[in-house]
Amino acid sequence: MIKKFVVAALLGLLVDSASGQLVFTYGNKQVDKVDFLRAFNKNPGTAGDRKKALKEYLDLYINFKLKVQAAYDAKLQDDATQQYELENFKKQIAENIINDEAKVKDLANEAFQRSQKDIHLAQVFVEVAPKADTVEAFKKIQAAYKALKEGKDFVKVSEEFSSDAATRQSGGDLGFVTVFTLPYEFENVAYRLKAMDYSAPFKSKLGYHIFKNTGERKGLGRRKVAQILITYPPGATDTEKTAAKRKADSVYTLLQNGAGFEELVRTVSNDVSTVNNNGQLSEFGVGEYSTFFEDAAFALTKPNDISRPFQTNYGYHILKLLDAKPVSADINDPESSSVLRDKILQDQRLTTARKMLVDKRQSLIKYKPAIYNQAELWRYTDSILEGKKVSAIKAINDKTLLFSFAKQNIRVADWEKFVKAIRANPNTELGSKNYKDLMKEYVSITGAEYYRNHLEDYSGEYKQQVQEFKEANLLFGIMDKNVWSKASVDSAGLQAYYNEHKNKYQWAPSAEALIITVATETLAKELQQKLKQNTAGWKTLTENYGSQVVADSGRYELSQLPAVEKTIFTEGLATAPLKNAADGTFTFNYIIKVYSQPAPRSFEDSRGMIISDYQQVLEERWIAALKKKYPVKVNQAVFNALK
């Protein structure tokens, strides 16, 4: 008996403790301290007097919860539009949270640090063809590495061991590179090297590489230029090249003597891709063009500076600097941070980081491989792809389990769809993989999809944001149904409300007026003169100016008219044009008639205000009905403790 009494007492204490954290209940629903404070602290109007703010917010939050419950009662959560908008939000927020888990901020900080310097990079490159044997290539890169360790010159080693003709010809020189110039795996190797150091051999999907940092400089940023290009044909003779050079020199002389760059683009440039755009090229950074082109572009420092003619494989170029964007030196600068984040969201480094996360999450999502005969699965897959009968392969069928996650089984039929999609696009990176490697990718891809689709099981933040969006959307839907639209269409109710509250709807001193916005101040003054001559024809008059003039008429309270302070409004007055800061247009009023004394508003004149007031009445009645349906009880002790 004693033991039973102690257990019962403990349970009672636990219940009392739990119920002691409730701020309020409505019907059989509960809101605890944690949920209430989370909502309160997100409210922008909580600064200042905390006690007063909490009291005001409690009433608002109770009403919010009652309205959302009414939405559930009306089954708005099953509405197709509600579900569509919720799914879109879930996809968006899932991507944001997964990107944050992939440490986008850390990747942005890394990219910022790397952007501060450019690296002059060289390489030894031994190519490996897709599906080719790598043994000979591996031996060759190791021999090159050995030669470097013995002190042999890097350029000579690249010329001797590189398999690519262009790499041999340049002595491996890749020019200057910066962040985002190279694939992320190459960038990582390059930025870990100190000046004049070279890397150990490493393998990419292209082959084997050794990189060398041959020098560094402060990051040059980005440039936007226009060009005049004088081309010569492929395999041009020396005579043809000389003629192109003379023409380029002549054009440069014309520019020095004041000729217009854009005009010469149209008349002499051979670059068909830019000739109709004043020669403008897209903005670019280090490592995107040839060394000769970049040297000329980055040598220009002031907008409108023009380069001397220089030669590339395309012909002779003359560049005009349009904009020079230096590398940001402030990691907290909003504009540069936004640009870096956008680049990272589109870059391979994010894909790499997210893929690493998938591997780490396998235990979290309870990945479990099944037991099956791989060789038989590969045979079965071949047969399916070739359209052959598969009855001879008894150990494998479409329902055979390959692996599973916490709430999902992946079977052979799922694998077939994946492989067919990959084989339909053989030129992709996955298209060249064998079944064994492709299965590893499939596990990774499906694991990422599973995690994204079940994110509410693993992220409290995601679950909370989704719930908040869902309830906010339900609130909007139920308010529109029970208050906003209902008030607008209830003509009898609006008229009755107006009849009961006529004294509430009064005109302050007012005027019948035209409010006119025009493109320029000169046009404003021109229009004012014409209005004085023909006020009645204002509509036709203003329409003749097309989009340069926007006009509206009506009765307005004098305080609503856009005019300078202390304007004395009289009939026939055209007020001084006021410049609109947003778009540089000008607005003035033309006064037709002035009502200097307050006067009652008609129903039509008051309609907007009546609807707003009537909505408030409907909402109050609705809330009162909801409180009867779901009685509200506030735990005053807990609420007072919050203050």
Side-chain angles (χ1 to χ4, degrees):
M1 284 293 291
I2 294 175
K3 184 181 286 188
K4 287 184 179 179
F5 177 78
V6 171
V7 170
L10 286 172
L11 287 173
L13 284 173
L14 288 172
V15 171
D16 287 344
S17 176
S19 65
Q21 298 304 305
L22 296 180
V23 177
F24 67 89
T25 61
Y26 55 107
N28 62 357
K29 308 293 180 181
Q30 302 174 338
V31 174
D32 64 25
K33 180 172 71 174
V34 173
D35 288 340
F36 179 77
L37 285 178
R38 182 190 294 116
F40 173 77
N41 290 328
K42 287 184 177 180
N43 190 327
T46 58
D49 186 341
R50 179 178 172 84
K51 185 176 180 179
K52 181 181 177 183
L54 278 164
K55 177 64 177 72
E56 292 173 351
Y57 191 73
L58 176 64
D59 295 334
L60 291 173
Y61 198 61
I62 287 172
N63 291 348
F64 166 73
K65 283 296 187 181
L66 290 169
K67 292 172 187 176
V68 170
Q69 186 58 48
Y72 281 117
D73 292 346
K75 299 193 181 301
L76 287 191
Q77 69 273 19
D78 299 330
D79 177 75
T81 300
Q82 288 272 342
Q83 291 182 346
Y84 174 77
E85 291 176 351
L86 181 62
E87 286 305 310
N88 275 352
F89 178 79
K90 287 168 74 173
K91 289 176 184 176
Q92 177 186 336
I93 200 68
E95 287 301 305
N96 292 341
I97 286 176
I98 291 171
N99 286 341
D100 287 343
E101 289 177 352
K103 299 184 178 179
V104 169
K105 187 174 182 179
D106 290 349
L107 290 172
N109 289 340
E110 176 188 74
F112 173 82
Q113 296 301 333
R114 291 178 177 181
S115 73
Q116 302 303 299
K117 70 177 181 181
D118 302 333
I119 296 175
H120 195 170
L121 201 63
Q123 73 165 339
V124 181
F125 173 50
V126 180
E127 186 176 11
V128 177
K131 298 183 180 179
D133 190 350
T134 63
V135 174
E136 289 304 315
F138 180 77
K139 289 180 179 178
K140 195 170 185 181
I141 201 72
Q142 290 298 328
Y145 190 52
K146 182 181 178 183
L148 290 172
K149 281 185 164 295
E150 291 172 351
K152 194 167 184 178
D153 180 68
F154 192 92
V155 172
K156 292 181 179 178
V157 170
S158 185
E159 290 172 344
E160 179 181 350
F161 289 96
S162 293
S163 60
D164 176 56
T167 304
R168 289 197 304 271
Q169 185 177 0
S170 66
D173 188 6
L174 295 172
F176 277 94
V177 300
T178 190
V179 65
F180 299 114
T181 301
L182 301 172
Y184 188 49
E185 60 177 332
F186 293 174
E187 183 189 301
N188 282 335
V189 176
Y191 273 86
R192 286 169 187 154
L193 293 172
K194 295 180 180 179
M196 305 312 293
D197 279 355
Y198 56 84
S199 71
F202 70 96
K203 188 177 184 301
S204 74
K205 64 182 179 181
L206 302 175
Y208 290 97
H209 312 257
I210 300 172
F211 279 160
K212 181 179 181 180
N213 177 341
T214 67
E216 299 177 354
R217 69 185 181 199
K218 183 180 178 181
L220 295 185
R222 299 180 67 79
R223 293 290 186 272
K224 190 169 186 179
V225 302
Q227 75 164 342
I228 296 171
L229 175 61
I230 311 299
T231 60
Y232 43 72
T237 63
D238 289 343
T239 301
E240 289 172 318
K241 291 181 179 179
T242 300
K245 183 179 186 307
R246 286 175 179 166
K247 185 175 181 180
D249 288 340
S250 298
V251 171
Y252 181 70
T253 300
L254 289 172
L255 290 168
Q256 293 298 102
N257 290 329
F261 192 93
E262 291 75 16
E263 179 62 28
L264 288 172
V265 167
R266 289 191 289 273
T267 55
V268 304
S269 182
N270 302 133
D271 182 9
V272 294
S273 65
T274 64
V275 70
N276 293 322
N277 190 34
N278 292 328
Q280 291 184 25
L281 296 169
S282 298
E283 183 182 288
F284 59 91
V286 169
E288 297 182 39
Y289 285 105
S290 71
T291 300
F292 292 117
F293 189 94
E294 284 187 7
D295 286 348
F298 281 95
L300 303 173
T301 57
K302 297 178 182 177
N304 299 317
D305 280 356
I306 294 174
S307 74
R308 288 183 173 275
F310 63 93
Q311 186 181 14
T312 70
N313 293 334
Y314 297 98
Y316 283 89
H317 307 253
I318 301 172
L319 303 183
K320 176 182 177 180
L321 182 63
L322 302 177
D323 190 19
K325 291 185 178 179
V327 172
S328 173
D330 181 6
I331 195 170
N332 297 314
D333 175 56
E335 183 179 353
S336 60
S337 296
S338 177
V339 170
L340 279 178
R341 184 180 175 87
D342 288 345
K343 285 189 174 183
I344 285 164
L345 293 179
Q346 301 170 34
D347 190 64
Q348 183 190 23
R349 66 196 69 211
L350 180 59
T351 306
T352 302
R354 287 176 64 149
K355 192 171 181 180
M356 290 172 64
L357 272 179
V358 171
D359 297 335
K360 292 179 181 178
R361 292 193 194 111
Q362 286 194 340
S363 61
L364 182 66
I365 61 179
K366 296 184 179 177
Y367 163 71
K368 184 179 180 181
I371 298 173
Y372 58 88
N373 187 312
Q374 272 197 348
E376 292 291 281
L377 176 61
W378 306 156
R379 281 182 57 216
Y380 185 88
T381 306
D382 280 335
S383 298
I384 292 294
L385 292 177
E386 294 167 10
K388 296 179 180 179
K389 293 183 178 180
V390 293
S391 56
I393 306 175
K394 296 181 180 179
I396 301 290
N397 60 59
D398 280 0
K399 295 182 180 179
T400 301
L401 182 67
L402 298 179
F403 54 91
S404 63
F405 304 114
K407 298 177 182 177
Q408 184 179 0
N409 292 326
I410 305 297
R411 302 185 184 277
V412 169
D414 304 311
W415 160 254
E416 287 171 20
K417 292 177 184 177
F418 174 73
V419 176
K420 284 179 180 178
I422 296 300
R423 294 297 184 249
N425 297 282
N427 295 326
T428 63
E429 184 179 346
L430 293 179
S432 62
K433 291 184 180 291
N434 59 41
Y435 286 144
K436 186 176 181 180
D437 291 338
L438 202 55
M439 179 59 79
K440 292 178 182 176
E441 294 289 344
Y442 184 53
V443 170
S444 179
I445 290 169
T446 52
E449 288 177 352
Y450 179 85
Y451 182 78
R452 185 188 304 109
N453 294 335
H454 296 81
L455 191 55
E456 67 275 8
D457 294 339
Y458 308 107
S459 171
E461 179 188 359
Y462 172 80
K463 187 175 182 178
Q464 184 66 34
Q465 288 192 46
V466 168
Q467 184 64 20
E468 287 174 0
F469 178 87
K470 180 180 180 179
E471 291 190 347
N473 229 20
L474 287 172
L475 175 68
F476 184 90
I478 200 68
M479 284 290 290
D480 186 58
K481 181 179 179 180
N482 283 19
V483 177
W484 300 328
S485 294
K486 188 175 181 179
S488 298
V489 299
D490 186 2
S491 299
L494 290 172
Q495 185 67 57
Y497 186 83
Y498 171 74
N499 291 338
E500 292 175 13
H501 302 86
K502 280 185 178 181
N503 292 337
K504 185 177 180 181
Y505 303 108
Q506 298 283 321
W507 281 110
S510 58
E512 289 180 22
L514 305 175
I515 300 179
I516 300 175
T517 299
V518 297
T520 66
E521 189 172 13
T522 301
L523 182 56
K525 292 178 179 178
E526 175 186 323
L527 199 52
Q528 286 177 345
Q529 291 301 319
K530 291 183 178 180
L531 284 169
K532 287 182 179 180
Q533 296 167 11
N534 182 17
T535 306
W538 71 267
K539 195 164 188 178
T540 302
L541 178 62
T542 55
E543 286 176 351
N544 288 337
Y545 285 91
S547 60
Q548 293 187 81
V549 175
V550 177
D552 198 9
S553 68
R555 183 171 175 177
Y556 306 93
E557 293 187 350
L558 298 182
S559 60
Q560 295 175 317
L561 294 172
V564 297
E565 287 187 27
K566 298 182 180 179
T567 296
I568 298 174
F569 295 97
T570 57
E571 293 182 12
L573 172 70
T575 62
L578 295 180
K579 187 172 184 179
N580 301 306
D583 58 8
T585 59
F586 289 82
T587 298
F588 68 90
N589 313 286
Y590 188 83
I591 308 302
I592 298 171
K593 186 175 182 179
V594 176
Y595 302 90
S596 57
Q597 299 300 317
R601 285 178 180 261
S602 68
F603 176 80
E604 286 305 321
D605 286 341
S606 311
R607 187 177 181 85
M609 292 182 284
I610 297 167
I611 289 174
S612 178
D613 292 341
Y614 190 52
Q615 285 173 345
Q616 184 66 34
V617 170
L618 291 181
E619 185 175 358
E620 289 171 358
R621 292 174 184 169
W622 180 40
I623 290 294
L626 288 173
K627 286 182 176 179
K628 287 183 179 179
K629 185 176 182 180
Y630 300 101
V632 176
K633 294 181 180 179
V634 177
N635 188 331
Q636 205 63 48
V638 173
F639 182 68
N640 289 339
L642 299 180
K643 300 176 184 179

